[in-house]
Amino acid sequence: MATKLPPVDIAIIGFGWTGGILAKELASTGLKIVAFERGKPRTTDPDFLEPGKDDEIRFANRTDLMIDTTQETLTFRNTGDQTALPMRRLGSFLPGTGVGGAGVHWNGVTWRFMEWDHEAYSRTVSKYGKGIIPADMQLQDWGISYAELEPYYDMFEKTAAISGKAGNLNGTKIDGGNVFEGARKSEYPNPPLVWSQAMTMFDKATRSLGYHPFPSPAANASRAYTNPDGVKFNQCHYCGFCERFGCEADAKASPHFTVIPIAMKNPNFELRTRSQVLKINMDSDGKKATGVTYLDPLGNEMEQPADIVIVSAFALNNVHLLLYSKIGKAYDPKTGEGVVGRNYAYQGGGGATAFFGEDVITNPFMGAGALSMCMDDFNGDSYDFAKAGYIGGGGISAGSSGGRPIGYHPTPPGTPKWGSDWKKAVVAAYNHTVGVGSQGSVMSYRQNYLDLDPTYTDSFGRPMMRMTFDFQDNEWKQMAAARDISAAIAKEMGAKVIATSLPAKPYSVVPYQSTHNTGGTVMGADPKTSVVNKYLQVWDVPNVFVTGASVFPQNAGKNPTGPVGALAYWMADALKNKYLKSPGALIPT
């Protein structure tokens, strides 16, 4: 029997970037807010200081900042006729846990999605007709345009001290920035990071091939910076330990030292760490959330009544929580009906590793998480879908995110997998190698989805979430094209040996590829194909809001944190200026 606590106004589930932004922005309402985080509290000092900050075994190999799969994980299968099995250890993706969530251990690559990404269906149909869309592809618009979200992208970029170069400032295209991006109202708050040797070589080669390279926007501060909230960033010192690590310099933007401390200053705000939310409680007719049930740090079951529930956990956890709480109709791939779990998508790969002679020194140990040069010539709708034979695309990049001593050891094709010859090859190649690769979009399909597993339960007794996913022909064509383009760039860079690669076929959940999972609680303009409306409010339960990458109708060829942050600001605005003034459905159904 759960212990019932005094009611609060707002319950926030999950405390990373989105939960932190919402808590900060809603402080001005004067409402009583409680945030629940399943993991530990964190601060830069002492959690990310030396000694031990760069402990590669602890953070990279043993994934110290990620979820504990002995407590909660998911089951996986490629197709609906297979039996899904639990993912016993982390592999293809690395969901974070603890205060700050994945925003602590990310690389810091911070994009605005392209205009096409926000209106993928309508722009594709307008240009090519419906016939170009495969029968099983569930291409959808977001329900809002890039132009509507632009001011909120700007807010997040200023919050997170983004370093970059605009390529489309108020409609004026600027060489050196991304000329394919949507128009922005202002420059990045900080200039680009200092280029590495790999970036210089990529820039020269791609320009020679007629492409449009630009430095990737980075949440690694290129200089000391104070954001609009008064939070101070120090300059990145290119230590090369970003992905899977915290930042000792407060140079890589993270919620734990930006938005969260501001929220904590609000006397009406309370953070409860080591508190695992089990479900969202509903009233008798299932039309209104009444609060949450959670386990406190001692394992006691508690009930926290709340007028508004904000679901802001990792994308996959958002979906699991809605399915288990029976909020919204679960998706059925056989009938195509239902929405929760619909449109799960991942990201594609494909690329080339370029091996150079000893005269080319790439110094991979020096780096920053987002230190790279990219091009969008084959991303979004920058190219002709009809000629290419696929929809979507991806950015192609080369950079220097940090060549860790245990994790980074490229060797040319034909090298033995172990022994003295392998060691010699590692030594010979380490300082003379550059990776050129694509981060590809993945469209949503009728047969790729999330639901509750009928067999396996987590340590809390809940059915695990089951993932059914595989890359489809459209994505294999896109990844093969990206691989070939990457190889051509590597050749133009002067590589002596080139090794190309694609993801495993069928998709494997074992090797790490990308943590960018999307979909399952998607946003849109039609309740029959989306869980939340454009304000991220659940169509069926108006006092529940969902934020994070689970609301993306399909995945883009870019990292998700930029639009995730922008949508959190967008939702906070809607809550303050629309919902709280007139609680109820913000869009009639």
Side-chain angles (χ1 to χ4, degrees), residues 161-458:
I162 306 304
S163 305
K165 173 64 180 172
N168 183 352
L169 201 52
N170 294 307
T172 301
K173 301 295 181 70
I174 304 170
D175 183 39
N178 184 6
V179 296
F180 298 106
E181 70 177 345
R184 56 169 57 242
K185 298 286 176 54
S186 62
E187 254 291 2
Y188 288 99
N190 290 303
L193 294 160
V194 177
W195 290 14
S196 66
Q197 174 67 10
M199 295 167 68
T200 301
M201 295 166 65
F202 182 88
D203 179 77
K204 182 180 178 182
T206 51
R207 287 185 183 279
S208 174
L209 293 170
Y211 301 139
H212 302 82
F214 59 92
S216 299
N220 318 118
S222 62
R223 62 184 177 186
Y225 169 77
T226 302
N227 78 8
D229 295 320
V231 176
K232 295 184 182 302
F233 289 70
N234 294 309
Q235 182 177 359
C236 175
H237 51 263
Y238 304 85
C239 73
F241 285 80
C242 284
E243 185 189 23
R244 309 190 188 193
F245 298 84
C247 178
E248 76 273 36
D250 283 351
K252 181 181 73 173
S254 171
H256 82 272
F257 77 90
T258 55
V259 293
I260 288 174
I262 297 173
M264 299 285 283
K265 292 179 181 177
N266 174 12
N268 291 321
F269 174 80
E270 179 187 356
L271 171 61
R272 297 177 190 166
T273 57
R274 304 177 194 269
S275 297
Q276 177 79 40
V277 173
L278 300 177
K279 66 177 181 179
I280 300 169
N281 302 320
M282 304 294 293
D283 66 4
S284 57
D285 62 4
K287 298 296 183 183
K288 180 181 180 181
T290 58
V292 302
T293 295
Y294 72 101
L295 295 179
D296 74 6
L298 298 178
N300 300 308
E301 189 168 306
M302 314 295 284
E303 181 183 346
Q304 177 59 70
D307 292 333
I308 300 171
V309 176
I310 296 174
V311 185
S312 58
F314 185 71
L316 297 171
N317 297 101
N318 284 352
V319 184
H320 188 216
L321 201 53
L322 261 62
L323 285 169
Y324 184 62
S325 304
K326 294 182 170 56
I327 295 176
K329 186 177 181 180
Y331 174 64
D332 182 345
K334 294 180 179 176
T335 64
E337 297 180 351
V339 289
V340 182
R342 188 178 192 270
N343 281 28
Y344 169 75
Y346 191 52
Q347 277 192 320
T353 304
F355 298 90
F356 299 93
E358 293 185 354
D359 58 319
V360 177
I361 308 296
T362 54
N363 192 20
F365 194 76
M366 180 283 303
L371 183 64
S372 66
M373 192 67 73
C374 188
M375 65 178 209
D376 271 346
D377 295 70
F378 301 95
N379 204 357
D381 63 346
S382 302
Y383 62 99
D384 191 320
F385 292 169
K387 288 182 179 179
Y390 53 82
I391 295 172
I396 296 177
S397 64
S400 306
S401 59
R404 300 192 301 263
I406 296 175
Y408 182 76
H409 36 71
T411 55
T415 301
K417 299 297 183 184
W418 60 283
S420 59
D421 287 344
W422 175 80
K423 293 178 182 176
K424 291 176 184 175
V426 170
V427 172
Y430 181 84
N431 215 16
H432 313 287
T433 304
V434 173
V436 181
S438 170
Q439 179 170 241
S441 63
V442 170
M443 301 299 102
S444 297
Y445 295 88
R446 185 183 182 116
Q447 61 271 33
N448 289 338
Y449 62 100
L450 304 166
D451 65 355
L452 294 179
D453 192 282
T455 304
Y456 295 96
T457 57
D458 61 21

Side-chain angles (χ1 to χ4, degrees), residues 67-122:
I67 64 165
D68 180 357
T69 56
T70 66
Q71 289 196 323
E72 52 181 333
T73 184
L74 52 75
T75 64
F76 173 77
R77 60 183 180 175
N78 286 118
T79 60
D81 59 354
Q82 297 174 336
T83 299
L85 295 174
M87 188 170 72
R88 301 288 187 187
R89 60 182 297 181
L90 296 175
S92 184
F93 41 85
L94 304 172
T97 193
V99 170
V104 171
H105 66 78
W106 68 320
N107 258 335
V109 185
T110 311
W111 299 103
R112 297 181 178 199
F113 278 7
M114 302 174 78
E115 291 176 288
W116 178 84
D117 293 316
H118 301 78
E119 300 170 285
Y121 176 78
S122 57

